[in-house]
Amino acid sequence: MSAAQVREDTKTPPAVRQEGKARRRPVAWAAGAAGVLVLAVLPLFNLSLPGLLPGPTYTPGSLQLMALCMLMAAAALTYHLLLGVAGMLSFGHALYFGAGVYGLAIILDRTGLPLLPAMALTLVVVIVLANLTGAVALRVTGIPFAMVTLAFAQAGSVMVRRNPDGATGGEEGLSLATEHVPSFLVGVANTRNLYWLALAALVAVFLVTAWIQRSRAGHVAAAVRENEMRVRVLGLQPYLAKLLIFVVAGTLAGVVGMTYLLLQSGAVPRAVSSDFTITLLVMVVLGGVGSRWGAVLGGVVYTLLDQRLTALANSDAIAGLPRILQIPLSEPLFILGTLFILVVLFLPGGLAGAAARLRSREAARRPQQILEEAG
């Protein structure tokens, strides 16, 4: 929570705050359900969003981009469980996303199993990996925890790039063995089905995240984030609560990774790199730490900017600018970095925090307007 949000909260009585939150919750869920319905029918219409999408919404290129945005939003949600709920800063979360991507690709390639059994086996591998690494990493906290998770992720990245027994494809990556995947999920002609699969993955991750966050373990983990000593004094077990959050976050990241493999038709080393974890961190901070909707919004906005700025950087419009403007504008990461700095400086609660402050100001103005009209 940002300092501005804290100040706003101290101005409002607790009972009023709770009543306001309870009143907004059904509205937020109804708006979310309506948004999911709109997204579900979007591929059936010929809508153009110049600057955001490369073509009409029914075309494979636009569907691919929108599906990628939804998967990155789901991946950001899994990181929100770690940072926003339990307060755990991890630099190795990409390990579990990459385990889902490479695990499914290797199992399909080496065993010849059908898709669903291969996904189930990959899920078991991800759960075991998350339990083992989490049990070790959570023996420490703070920066040491971040360094231990980074070490595990680096070990996974080195293994992928070393290409043991030709299993991972090394720097070239690994193509999806499409002969073991149902035909309706293969090929450009079926991008619409992959889009719906990505949407289903996002909804499932969001619902599980909301359930975990409101569960007893989620409340304990949130309490540990604020004051671990007090939780211990109450006789609760912080380690088990944090381990549960860690394993659930890693498992959900693995599920998103498996869907990502189907969408991209291949695995690449970046899926296991620490750079990808940093990207997830940026998405969560951009959307607003502690907010589920903020994580979704941050994932979508970051991915859209990353993809569309790359296209803009190679356009004739940028090539025709003076070199003093052409050089920075031709680097998408420079623009994204500048945007991130501006958000941190001027929107400390992220995009979700800015929206919350606007709602608070509107709510504060409403009684005054009523009094003025009555007078």
Side-chain angles (χ1 to χ4, degrees):
M1 183 179 288
S2 66
Q5 287 174 302
V6 171
R7 287 194 297 270
E8 288 293 333
D9 280 351
T10 55
K11 295 177 185 177
T12 310
V16 176
R17 288 203 307 270
Q18 292 299 326
E19 182 182 352
K21 289 179 181 179
R23 191 165 53 246
R24 289 196 299 268
R25 190 172 295 139
V27 175
W29 281 97
V36 170
L37 181 61
V38 170
L39 289 173
V41 300
L42 203 57
L44 306 178
F45 294 96
N46 181 5
L47 299 177
S48 295
L49 298 173
L52 292 179
L53 299 177
T57 52
Y58 70 90
T59 57
S62 295
L63 291 172
Q64 178 89 6
L65 176 56
M66 290 189 291
L68 182 62
C69 287
M70 289 187 288
L71 288 183
M72 291 301 100
L77 269 172
T78 68
Y79 196 84
H80 157 77
L81 270 177
L82 292 177
L83 183 62
V85 176
M88 295 185 285
L89 177 63
S90 170
F91 288 151
H93 195 55
L95 176 64
Y96 313 103
F97 179 87
V101 175
Y102 273 97
L104 182 58
I106 293 170
I107 289 172
L108 286 173
D109 184 53
R110 294 300 178 96
T111 67
L113 286 173
L115 179 62
L116 289 180
M119 292 180 75
L121 182 57
T122 305
L123 191 61
V124 171
V125 171
V126 174
I127 292 173
V128 171
L129 178 65
N131 271 284
L132 292 176
T133 55
V136 175
L138 287 170
R139 296 296 176 182
V140 292
T141 59
I143 298 301
F145 169 80
M147 293 299 100
V148 172
T149 57
L150 176 61
F152 281 129
Q154 287 297 99
S157 180
V158 169
M159 183 179 296
V160 164
R161 295 178 188 277
R162 287 290 178 87
N163 193 21
D165 196 28
T168 63
E171 296 289 346
E172 299 293 327
L174 188 62
S175 298
L176 176 65
T178 54
E179 61 270 17
H180 306 304
V181 179
S183 58
F184 62 85
L185 294 176
V186 177
V188 176
N190 293 307
T191 308
R192 182 186 298 176
N193 297 331
L194 291 167
Y195 169 89
W196 282 325
L197 181 63
L199 177 60
L202 173 58
V203 172
V205 170
F206 188 92
L207 293 176
V208 173
T209 301
W211 175 61
I212 290 294
Q213 193 167 347
R214 293 179 181 178
S215 68
R216 178 181 173 84
H219 289 305
V220 173
V224 171
R225 178 192 65 208
E226 301 299 328
N227 192 326
E228 183 169 346
M229 184 59 68
R230 182 177 295 179
V231 174
R232 292 183 184 278
V233 169
L234 292 174
L236 300 174
Q237 296 181 326
Y239 176 81
L240 293 180
K242 291 195 293 184
L243 180 61
L244 177 62
I245 298 294
F246 189 94
V247 171
V248 171
T251 302
L252 291 177
V255 172
V256 177
M258 288 188 275
T259 312
Y260 178 86
L261 172 71
L262 297 175
L263 178 68
Q264 300 293 89
S265 298
V268 292
R270 185 178 182 274
V272 199
S273 68
S274 56
D275 290 348
F276 185 67
T277 300
I278 299 300
T279 299
L280 295 179
L281 173 61
V282 170
M283 290 177 182
V284 171
V285 174
L286 178 64
V289 177
S291 169
R292 290 190 300 271
W293 293 107
V296 172
L297 184 59
V300 171
V301 169
Y302 183 95
T303 307
L304 270 178
L305 288 174
D306 183 42
Q307 297 292 317
R308 299 310 295 160
L309 287 175
T310 301
L312 177 65
N314 299 322
S315 66
D316 295 335
I318 297 298
L321 293 174
R323 286 188 62 80
I324 192 171
L325 295 175
Q326 179 186 348
I327 293 175
L329 292 180
S330 62
E331 295 293 338
L333 288 179
F334 173 83
I335 302 174
L336 284 171
T338 303
L339 175 64
F340 179 70
I341 293 171
L342 292 175
V343 168
V344 170
L345 289 176
F346 300 107
L347 299 176
L351 300 177
R357 283 194 294 275
L358 287 175
R359 284 199 306 268
S360 298
R361 288 171 186 169
E362 281 298 318
R365 284 199 200 101
R366 207 169 292 136
Q368 184 65 29
Q369 290 175 350
I370 293 173
L371 290 174
E372 289 176 357
E373 291 173 1

